[in-house]
Amino acid sequence: MRYRVTVQGRSFDVIVVESQDGLVAALVSEGKEPAFERVSLSSRGGLTVLSRENASETLSLSGSPEEEGVYHVSQGGGRPLRCEVEDERRLLARAAGGASRAARTGPRVIRSIMPGIIVKVLAAPGASVAAKDPLLIVEAMKMQNEIRCEEAGVIAKVHVQPGQSVAAGAPLVELSPA
Amino acid sequence: MLKKVLIANRGEIAIRVARACREMGIASVAVYSTADRNALHVRAADEAHEIGPPEPRSSYLDGAKLVSVAKKTGADAVHPGYGFLSENAAFAKEVEEAGLTWIGPPSGAIAKLGNKLEARKTAKALGIPTIPGSDGPVEGDSVRAAARAAGFPVMLKAASGGGGKGIRTVRDEADLVRELERARGEAQSSFGSSAVFVEKSIFPARHIEVQVLADSRGNVVHLGERECSLQRRHQKIVEESPSPVVTPEVRARLGECAVRLAKHAGYRSAGTVEFLVDAELRFFLLEMNTRLQVELSVKQEDVHARGAAIELRVTAEDPFQGFAPSAGTVRGLQLPGGAFTRVDTALEAGAEVSLFYDPLLAKLIVWAETRERAIDRLARAAAEFQVGGVRTTLPLVAHLARDPDFRAAKFHTTWLDGFVARAAAEAPGGLETAALAAALAAHADSKRGSAPASAPAAGSSWAHTWRPR
């Protein structure tokens, strides 16, 4: 599963896979040799114990009834960190926020979730794509984010090119039904 | 000697009373609303009786029901705790007339001191400094003259008010009549009396109060002062004993005034005389609380050994969202421990924090030989204290402990608002990676159908790999 987690306004794209040890999450990014920091979490009487390589600590979380996916994580000492977890479905729903029901019959417009710079365009006009295929990579706040399509289709139009800055909500790619 | 005490309250105060009863070999009776059926205070007493629905009006504030439970269970005394009916002279009288012992001041003393105008009049007659203002209630015609005589800005206060309600500050004469009408309206709806009086607004000021204890033979002693200037919405958040600014000479005069007032009113039991203290350490009577106070604990910790005690009120509020209430289920709990570290609480994992009652979850009280060391200890203990599921005032302590003005005790009654705004602009505490992993784990668990906002399900092990770009 792919998630975007926004910690105090800074967004991280995360891929979570199930392995034999449980669940493993990795930050999505490109280039350079990865420097790993492994953390593991366990539960103690409803609180979270976080273990890093040579240290561990207790955390407490509180959810937000009014905002789904929002957690305030308190690590003892100071203001808690606000984390918003969005799963793939929510991200795509937001990306396609501009598309109306009527647009479903015509081309779907995929929009940028955030202001950023286009790093790479992976989709070429006329190409057929399957659901979840990556279409382009947008960099924002030093993080690179893959924009994927929600459903299969044919690329009708590409609005952007590498190096270009885009605003939140800007149209990126138009997708015709397959 | 008492044999059985009905505790007409809930939360940590009900537990403290039940503990004292148990130690003294006195039986105790708890009461609870349907919302509190599983609350810890119900189990702290020897027996427990349901008194109605969650709304306080139909349960903890229903005096007739409380007296009938006391009689039915054979209790010979009623302890009101703080809040609810603790300062209600009519309820105290009802208890007395039912032939039960009221563990608190006589109803006559509550009536005499509970009305702020009456208390002012009594204090004036006794030579205790009062804030310049009107001698009686003001109305449309008399308010101008009274406000001019006191000098702007002025406070309009409900004579029978409490808890920060029915108080308005007026800076400009043009707003006076309009604000008076609002204050009178608020006073009428909150306290059933529209009597409002004028006091000069003293700013900047500290809120300093004196603990008194009186026996039934007319002996009254004072235990020195508490500093309670750190408040939001006229409600206290941090309390200290002693005040870092009060000199021995001022302490003696404050204490003497408090004892004189309590003696004159025929006081009995524990009570608190509150003062406003200006920058020159001139003090003025604010009011007398005719009951046990929330912050008695901080005085208890400082009474035997001289040093410094500090108390944080841990409330279910988000200080970084304007102290918005945060109700919900307590998902996990780790209480702090160690030397000179005390927690008064009714918290436990699984407890429901309801919007029906006061947001107080716990009081964290520490003591040390100096104020500096006490602040360090409070910060250590607050970081240890973890409450899952609801947001609390605990994170404020780390910010307070590194605030130079707090360290230097340079604050006043509205200082906390600015401090919280500064703290909200500071970087949050902790690692992004850790927060991210914990939030993801909680989210995944909530989607799997376990309760939301809890820690990862027992036994689940999460590995999180962090790969910077």
Side-chain angles (χ1 to χ4, degrees):
Chain A
M1 272 295 272
R2 189 168 152 272
Y3 295 93
R4 171 160 305 147
V5 186
T6 306
V7 184
Q8 290 295 130
R10 206 174 143 193
S11 292
F12 300 88
D13 274 11
V14 183
I15 287 182
V16 176
V17 289
E18 256 181 273
S19 77
Q20 281 189 321
D21 305 336
L23 294 159
V24 174
L27 292 195
V28 178
S29 59
E30 283 217 335
K32 293 195 181 170
E33 272 304 293
F36 289 99
E37 189 195 357
R38 296 186 72 90
V39 297
S40 69
L41 299 172
S42 57
S43 176
R44 277 284 180 287
L47 297 173
T48 304
V49 176
L50 175 120
S51 303
R52 287 180 284 142
E53 200 164 350
N54 292 313
S56 57
E57 60 191 308
T58 309
L59 316 179
S60 54
L61 276 91
S62 69
S64 208
E66 63 278 11
E67 298 171 289
E68 201 210 327
V70 173
Y71 302 88
H72 293 252
V73 183
S74 194
Q75 296 177 53
R79 193 155 62 96
L81 285 97
R82 182 187 189 275
C83 300
E84 181 167 10
V85 180
E86 293 172 284
D87 59 20
E88 217 154 355
R89 190 177 306 165
R90 254 183 87 185
L91 283 174
L92 285 162
R94 206 156 63 132
S100 63
R101 271 171 206 279
R104 283 181 179 273
T105 52
R108 271 176 67 89
V109 180
I110 296 171
R111 292 167 190 277
S112 182
I113 300 162
M114 65 211 134
I117 296 164
I118 307 297
V119 177
K120 217 178 230 178
V121 178
L122 303 164
S128 292
V129 289
K132 294 188 178 179
D133 274 359
L135 300 176
L136 27 80
I137 296 170
V138 181
E139 182 177 307
M141 301 178 104
K142 295 183 178 169
M143 293 303 300
Q144 296 192 349
N145 308 282
E146 274 185 294
I147 308 292
R148 292 159 179 256
C149 56
E150 194 176 24
E151 52 203 63
V154 176
I155 306 290
K157 197 170 181 186
V158 177
H159 287 274
V160 292
Q161 53 192 32
Q164 188 182 335
S165 302
V166 291
L172 301 173
V173 171
E174 279 179 35
L175 196 66
S176 298
Chain B
M1 186 66 190
L2 302 177
K3 289 195 171 60
K4 196 175 197 178
V5 172
L6 177 116
I7 306 163
N9 217 301
R10 63 185 296 281
E12 68 93 15
I13 186 60
I15 292 173
R16 272 163 68 205
V17 174
R19 280 179 176 150
C21 287
R22 212 158 264 185
E23 288 176 13
M24 295 170 79
I26 300 168
S28 58
V29 181
V31 292
Y32 60 94
S33 73
T34 51
D36 279 342
R37 190 182 304 276
N38 298 316
L40 196 55
H41 82 269
V42 172
R43 281 167 273 154
D46 297 324
E47 56 183 292
H49 296 265
E50 189 188 302
I51 48 165
E55 295 82 5
R57 176 166 44 85
S58 317
S59 50
Y60 298 104
L61 289 175
D62 187 338
K65 205 177 280 173
L66 291 163
V67 170
S68 88
V69 173
K71 285 185 144 172
K72 187 178 80 187
T73 57
D76 49 9
V78 172
H79 197 308
Y82 51 67
F84 293 130
L85 291 168
S86 61
E87 286 184 284
N88 187 311
F91 178 60
K93 199 155 188 241
E94 221 176 306
V95 169
E96 289 164 352
E97 283 173 355
L100 305 167
T101 300
W102 170 257
I103 304 179
S107 59
I110 300 177
K112 201 167 188 174
L113 295 163
N115 183 297
K116 291 181 186 180
L117 267 174
E118 284 299 309
R120 265 171 79 80
K121 211 182 283 174
T122 309
K124 255 185 165 174
L126 292 170
I128 296 167
T130 54
I131 301 168
S134 62
D135 287 325
V138 289
E139 295 191 0
D141 306 326
S142 54
V143 69
R144 272 179 208 284
R148 277 188 198 149
F152 285 92
V154 295
M155 311 279 281
L156 299 174
K157 287 187 180 176
S160 41
K165 272 187 227 155
I167 299 180
R168 306 184 89 86
T169 307
V170 185
R171 305 190 180 280
D172 199 317
E173 190 169 332
D175 304 328
L176 194 59
V177 172
R178 192 188 63 221
E179 291 295 319
L180 175 68
E181 284 323 303
R182 288 195 188 154
R184 282 166 57 91
E186 239 174 71
Q188 181 66 46
S189 65
S190 298
F191 313 111
S193 152
S194 66
V196 166
F197 65 101
V198 173
E199 268 182 5
K200 185 177 175 56
S201 171
I202 294 174
F203 182 86
R206 287 169 179 271
H207 178 119
I208 289 172
E209 56 187 35
V210 177
Q211 180 71 52
V212 296
L213 286 178
D215 69 12
S216 51
R217 298 193 184 101
N219 300 305
V220 183
V221 293
H222 79 87
L223 304 176
E225 82 288 352
R226 283 186 294 262
E227 163 79 61
C228 306
S229 300
L230 266 51
Q231 310 181 350
R232 50 98 180 73
R233 299 191 294 258
H234 300 287
Q235 291 171 327
K236 300 158 189 169
I237 284 284
V238 175
E239 291 119 342
E240 296 186 38
S241 174
S243 162
V245 297
V246 167
T247 61
E249 186 263 333
V250 172
R251 179 170 302 126
R253 281 200 289 131
L254 277 168
E256 194 270 320
C257 285
V259 167
R260 206 187 314 162
L261 183 64
K263 261 193 181 155
H264 180 84
Y267 203 78
R268 187 186 66 215
S269 180
T272 302
V273 184
E274 300 186 326
F275 296 91
L276 272 186
V277 178
D278 73 9
E280 279 81 49
L281 293 185
R282 283 178 300 207
F283 61 81
F284 309 91
L285 177 81
L286 205 52
E287 62 175 304
M288 179 157 185
N289 288 157
T290 53
R291 57 173 160 86
L292 197 66
Q293 271 189 304
V294 175
E295 61 270 33
L296 177 70
S297 306
V298 75
K299 175 53 72 188
Q300 287 176 330
E301 292 307 303
D302 187 46
V303 110
H304 295 298
R306 263 192 233 156
I310 307 186
E311 169 177 300
L312 170 77
R313 293 198 193 186
V314 183
T315 62
E317 294 173 303
D318 185 344
F320 305 107
Q321 305 284 336
F323 288 94
S326 175
T329 305
V330 176
R331 294 285 175 200
L333 180 68
Q334 176 180 279
L335 293 178
F340 306 110
T341 302
R342 164 175 168 183
V343 180
D344 287 352
T345 188
L347 268 187
E348 58 183 343
E352 288 294 328
V353 177
S354 153
L355 283 171
F356 285 111
Y357 309 115
D358 191 275
L360 186 75
L361 297 178
K363 297 174 328 196
L364 170 60
I365 310 118
V366 300
W367 179 92
E369 282 166 16
T370 64
R371 183 173 183 268
E372 277 293 291
R373 295 286 80 78
I375 295 170
D376 296 340
R377 182 162 283 154
L378 186 72
R380 185 273 299 162
E384 234 172 83
F385 198 155
Q386 296 276 353
V387 184
V390 292
R391 268 165 267 166
T392 74
T393 48
L394 280 164
L396 274 184
V397 178
H399 296 271
L400 267 180
R402 52 177 184 259
D403 187 280
D405 286 342
F406 179 69
R407 285 276 180 183
K410 284 184 193 156
F411 45 68
H412 51 76
T413 49
T414 59
W415 178 87
L416 193 76
D417 297 334
F419 160 77
V420 171
R422 290 199 301 280
E426 276 183 51
L431 291 168
E432 277 179 339
T433 335
L436 187 156
L440 257 181
H443 193 71
D445 279 352
S446 79
K447 292 291 164 204
R448 274 204 296 268
S450 57
S454 64
S460 88
S461 165
W462 273 66
H464 171 255
T465 46
W466 160 257
R467 191 203 292 178
R469 194 169 68 95

